Amino acid sequence: MSDASTWTLRTPLAEVLPAGLSRKMAQLGLRQVGGLLAHVPMRHAFEEAEAPIAELAEGSVVSARGEVTATRVAGSGRGRRFEAVLCDDSGRLDLVFFNQTYLAKKIHAGHRLRVQGTAKRRGPGLQIANPTFEILEPEGEDDEPNARDERLRPVYPATEGVTSRDVERAIDVVLAPGLALIEDHLPEPYRHERALPALHEAYRMLHAPQSEDEVRAARRRLAYDDLLLLQFGVQMRRAHLRERCVAPALETGPVIDARIRERMPFALTPAQDRVVREIAADLAQTRPTNRLVQGDVGSGKTAVALYAMLLAVASGHQAALLAPTAILAEQHMSSIEAMLEGSKVRTALLTGALTASARTALLERIAAGEADLVIGTHALLTDSVRFRSLGVAVIDEQHRFGVHQRGVLRGRAAASPDGREVVPHTLVMTATPIPRTLGITIFGDLDVSTIDRLPPGRRPVRTRAVLPTERERVYAFVRRRLERGEQAFVVAPSIEAEEFAGVNALVEELRAGPLRGLEVEAVHGRLKKDERDAVMARFRAGASHALVATTVIEVGVDVPNATVMVVEGAERFGLAQLHQLRGRVGRGRKGGVCLLVGEAKTEAAAQRLGALVATSDGFRLAETDLEIRGAGEVFGAKQSGASTMLHADPLKHRDLLELARRDAKAWIARSPTLDSASERLVRDRVLKRHGEGLGLADVG
Ligand code: ADP
Ligand code: MG
């Protein structure tokens, strides 16, 4: 064994632990002193002080020790079990281990055991089923009964053949000398101000807590560190972008403002107004804007995006609008073209539907700056798309793209004369409102604008969940609405392979049955662009009554006269998706109705449907969605940085997240690259954890 005074956190456990124990730790992936210290308990069990067997209290968790006097394997099938009799001077305790007959090879008469579990009365004596146990040395210090008082005992993540108890033994060896090696990356006054324990104290409090308060304080410290390091990474990247990249400063002012507003068929709402002002202030700077515009479905994000794009065009630059689906890109194109009619703004639509030659021609126009406002799908993201001077890039419905794709439009512009990279101002629009707290984790480097009010005159969509057995009534209701001149969407459940068959079957059924005599049309992903355009155009013009669709109409589609949304197989859709679908109706002055036809077969499905019926507030629903699914699943572990969150849960630690964000922001504002000597440790830790993921390689 090596001398503890020569240890570092990298000292191999093989040099400090007995061979058997170090092999066990290696099975858990723990090979160095530091790694073992970082292997913190998942929870703590409150351990009773030991008592003589005769004094054990029935019905409570007890600890005792004694000698095994007899063992046997008994029962059969599911009831198969290993039994042992434990005796001390005062009495006898029966132990029974279900499904653990392998213990017959481990525990023998004559062994001394320390056991813990819930004592139950069985006949004349007490019994503990499936106790935790520890085989004691035949003689030694362990043998002192009642040596321990009641205490909190750490329960460690363990694995087959390696118990929490093994980890505890290994920790016993390294804890005291190891703690002395832990350096804190936060200065004492800083910690003090935030009531955070020192790092070595936090580890001590987890491995050997004196109270539950200590456990809480320690976990808070480690969670704070997780969040702070991520926020540091995010803020450093942001500072880096600001320093090394420039965007064209876009002119604003009352004249341009009035000219843009004149183009809109409505006056902006106060909420839109505020967001537009926030954006215009950003765009007037050469510092590249990175702003998230969030607003519930139907809150009017398109007008805000258009405003920003027209600012770019007014200053002689180009603008791009990236939409997640062709239908949405086409819709944006037609509504924007309508608003720009008679103006000099040259628009262009770039989707995968273009022929090769049309595409080439369009790319040339874009590169020559002959297209001012380019709307497109993913096709805009390919390398061959080069703008002459892209001033504003808007990514619509960003949740459909995934976080990693944001910023792709960056770097498409030419390099600047002074060596700095010229990037467009970027606006990211989302209608799946991201709960603020989580947004901070993921979009820590974005500013956020929120359109928090819907345009005037909207009435909430009435939502009902109905069983499939009530379909007849559902469509009778739909029919009455259609006969009044309103329109309906009917969404078929989207199982990829069958989606298209599903839509067609549903159309046939409705045409032949409940909606006989009315115009029912279908739209889905397999339809050619021309046909799809024609179908959408007829529906928009009111020439068809009902549109049966897959989720291609999920986002963005805007037909104010549509008042009814029927979702078939509603239990199969996600919460955000259903909220989006519901957002297709109730856009005009007539109230909307959303009928969710389905039968929840899981608890989660029932919760989803229940939540939709209960509220139409997208922010509340997004929170509910997170609660049902967990942050990792909603945003993907990588995107949310969840894989680097060892101790923090952005949902549980909201206040801490906010604190860490403010702290990191202030700190980075003072010291953008963390390069003073006293910051060496924190910088190393940020880069080690997030350097690669956040592309910080060349920061500083
Ligand atoms: P989303 O935020 O979901 O993208 P849209 O931009 O599609 O919402 O707008 C939803 C509907 O509200 C559209 O029909 C649009 O014309 C209308 N709208 C947007 N802003 C206003 C406003 N200020 N006053 C009246 N109607 C508006
Ligand atoms: Mg939209």
Side-chain angles (χ1 to χ4, degrees):
M1 289 310 99
S2 74
D3 173 3
S5 67
T6 65
W7 291 5
T8 70
L9 289 173
R10 291 173 182 268
T11 299
L13 291 175
E15 290 175 18
V16 308
L17 296 177
L21 199 50
S22 95
R23 265 198 304 276
K24 285 187 169 182
M25 293 307 104
Q27 268 178 269
L28 291 172
L30 307 173
R31 294 194 165 75
Q32 299 175 341
V33 170
L36 177 56
L37 288 174
H39 190 73
V40 299
M42 38 190 185
R43 59 189 172 84
H44 293 81
F46 195 72
E47 184 161 278
E48 295 294 323
E50 281 178 34
I53 288 174
E55 290 168 26
L56 297 180
E58 181 187 342
S60 54
V61 177
V62 297
S63 286
R65 70 175 59 205
E67 185 176 318
V68 177
T69 56
T71 66
R72 68 168 185 158
V73 170
S76 61
R78 280 170 170 245
R80 211 162 151 71
R81 61 196 182 267
F82 172 70
E83 296 178 352
V85 177
L86 193 75
C87 292
D88 70 2
D89 295 343
S90 72
R92 160 192 170 142
L93 178 65
D94 291 326
L95 307 176
V96 49
F97 301 85
F98 290 99
N99 289 315
Q100 297 177 69
T101 52
Y102 65 89
L103 290 175
K105 293 210 189 76
K106 241 181 135 167
I107 298 175
H108 302 287
H111 275 159
R112 291 189 58 75
L113 296 187
R114 184 173 181 283
V115 298
Q116 182 170 33
T118 306
K120 295 243 169 73
R121 172 115 349 237
R122 280 281 176 282
L126 288 181
Q127 183 200 67
I128 303 183
N130 299 324
T132 57
F133 71 93
E134 172 188 8
I135 300 174
L136 303 173
E137 300 295 325
E139 305 219 342
E141 46 195 292
D142 247 357
D143 212 26
E144 185 69 17
N146 304 331
R148 296 170 222 260
D149 287 333
E150 56 180 29
R151 63 165 188 154
L152 284 174
R153 181 153 206 185
V155 180
Y156 291 97
T159 181
E160 176 123 23
V162 186
T163 64
S164 168
R165 205 46 210 262
D166 293 326
V167 179
E168 212 178 327
R169 264 199 294 273
I171 290 281
D172 264 354
V173 178
V174 304
L175 191 62
L179 289 178
L181 298 170
I182 293 178
E183 287 181 90
D184 206 322
H185 50 266
L186 299 178
E188 207 283 322
Y190 183 97
R191 292 194 312 262
H192 184 77
E193 215 171 287
R194 291 157 185 81
L196 296 165
L199 202 50
H200 70 273
E201 264 299 289
Y203 282 106
R204 198 275 301 154
M205 289 167 164
L206 283 173
H207 291 302
Q210 277 161 9
S211 68
E212 284 173 319
D213 282 346
E214 283 199 345
V215 173
R216 265 193 295 278
R219 293 215 189 275
R220 182 166 172 272
R221 165 70 209 256
L222 297 188
Y224 176 81
D225 278 11
D226 276 356
L227 298 166
L228 185 73
L229 293 182
L230 176 61
Q231 292 306 312
F232 268 138
V234 162
Q235 299 290 340
M236 279 166 83
R237 178 176 64 177
R238 177 188 173 104
H240 170 71
L241 283 179
R242 288 194 165 171
E243 203 151 294
R244 302 277 297 275
C245 303
V246 282
L250 304 178
E251 195 189 328
T252 56
V255 178
I256 293 176
D257 178 72
R259 223 165 67 212
I260 294 176
R261 283 170 196 265
E262 248 166 46
R263 290 276 157 203
M264 313 253 174
F266 39 69
L268 294 182
T269 64
Q272 285 169 319
D273 246 343
R274 176 174 43 75
V275 172
V276 157
R277 274 199 310 275
E278 287 166 358
I279 292 171
D282 277 5
L283 302 189
Q285 320 281 322
T286 55
R287 189 181 66 198
T289 302
N290 236 341
R291 187 173 281 276
L292 177 72
V293 177
Q294 55 177 6
D296 207 347
V297 182
S299 60
K301 293 182 292 296
T302 315
V304 168
L306 183 63
Y307 188 103
M309 293 191 288
L310 291 178
L311 275 186
V313 176
S315 289
H317 298 280
Q318 293 164 290
L321 173 59
L322 185 63
T325 63
I327 288 197
L328 189 49
E330 287 150 15
Q331 176 188 285
H332 279 320
M333 183 67 178
S334 67
S335 64
I336 286 174
E337 272 192 321
M339 287 189 240
L340 295 179
E341 211 183 304
S343 84
K344 284 186 296 220
V345 181
R346 296 159 297 180
T347 56
L349 180 66
L350 180 67
T351 66
L354 289 183
T355 62
S357 61
R359 182 184 154 82
T360 310
L362 179 52
L363 292 184
E364 276 167 21
R365 280 178 57 211
I366 293 172
E370 288 159 16
D372 302 306
L373 204 162
V374 183
I375 298 166
T377 54
H378 290 86
L380 261 182
L381 295 175
T382 50
D383 272 336
S384 48
V385 183
R386 299 256 160 227
F387 287 85
R388 190 181 66 81
S389 176
L390 185 57
V392 168
V394 180
I395 303 174
D396 193 20
E397 308 291 355
Q398 106 87 36
H399 62 285
R400 297 286 303 247
F401 286 103
V403 177
H404 56 283
Q405 276 182 28
R406 112 188 119 88
V408 213
L409 278 170
R410 228 183 250 156
R412 303 235 163 265
S416 94
D418 70 347
R420 291 198 289 178
E421 195 186 345
V422 179
V423 298
H425 295 287
T426 304
L427 296 177
V428 174
M429 325 286 272
T430 183
T432 294
I434 295 160
R436 171 158 175 71
T437 45
L438 198 65
I440 292 169
T441 344
I442 304 160
F443 301 108
D445 61 336
L446 293 186
D447 295 308
V448 178
S449 288
T450 304
I451 308 180
D452 53 6
R453 286 273 188 291
L454 299 181
R458 294 284 173 77
R459 287 193 285 149
V461 176
R462 277 186 294 135
T463 305
R464 297 273 180 282
V466 296
L467 290 170
T469 48
E470 295 176 83
R471 283 181 78 230
E472 212 171 300
R473 279 180 45 211
V474 167
Y475 286 107
F477 168 84
V478 172
R479 183 174 187 99
R480 283 198 301 277
R481 287 297 193 107
L482 301 190
E483 285 172 343
R484 268 167 34 186
E486 295 170 24
Q487 289 170 286
F489 293 104
V490 181
V491 172
S494 66
I495 307 172
E496 286 283 327
E498 309 166 11
E499 78 172 29
F500 145 84
V503 169
N504 285 342
L506 193 51
V507 170
E508 290 315 313
E509 181 199 334
L510 296 179
R511 278 181 185 155
L515 304 185
R516 202 176 321 115
L518 295 165
E519 279 302 316
V520 181
E521 293 206 277
V523 64
H524 51 74
R526 298 264 193 98
L527 226 47
K528 287 223 186 58
K529 178 180 178 300
D530 298 353
E531 289 174 63
R532 197 172 59 213
D533 275 355
V535 172
M536 290 306 294
R538 279 198 295 276
F539 189 65
R540 210 165 271 138
S544 57
H545 300 98
L547 191 62
V548 180
T550 57
T551 50
V552 292
I553 58 137
E554 176 185 332
V555 291
V557 169
D558 185 41
V559 181
N561 190 50
T563 55
V564 183
M565 166 62 71
V566 180
V567 183
E568 295 263 10
E571 76 277 5
R572 301 194 214 171
F573 293 89
L575 187 51
Q577 215 175 9
L578 290 171
H579 181 58
Q580 283 283 340
L581 286 169
R582 172 168 62 182
R584 295 313 112 218
V585 297
R587 306 196 132 223
R589 293 194 166 264
K590 295 174 207 158
V593 177
C594 175
L595 300 166
L596 304 171
V597 184
E599 189 170 5
K601 294 183 185 76
T602 63
E603 175 69 30
Q607 282 178 343
R608 287 197 297 272
L609 297 179
L612 278 152
V613 171
T615 181
S616 56
D617 179 335
F619 283 80
R620 288 252 298 278
L621 287 172
E623 303 250 348
T624 307
D625 199 22
L626 280 172
E627 278 156 23
I628 299 175
R629 292 198 293 158
E633 239 193 272
V634 177
F635 295 97
K638 244 211 181 120
Q639 294 176 1
S640 60
S643 54
T644 58
M645 294 286 182
L646 305 171
H647 309 284
D649 175 343
L651 285 182
K652 266 203 330 245
H653 299 119
R654 289 163 187 236
D655 51 332
L656 216 47
L657 176 57
E658 185 58 37
L659 178 67
R661 191 184 70 104
R662 268 190 277 122
D663 287 346
K665 208 168 176 174
W667 191 323
I668 292 296
R670 258 193 341 265
S671 173
T673 51
L674 299 177
D675 53 5
S676 80
S678 64
E679 292 168 315
R680 179 192 53 82
L681 205 52
V682 71
R683 184 173 192 279
D684 286 353
R685 288 181 180 164
V686 172
L687 292 183
K688 185 162 171 229
R689 228 188 250 191
H690 300 293
E692 205 176 317
L694 291 175
L696 294 173
D698 50 338
V699 172

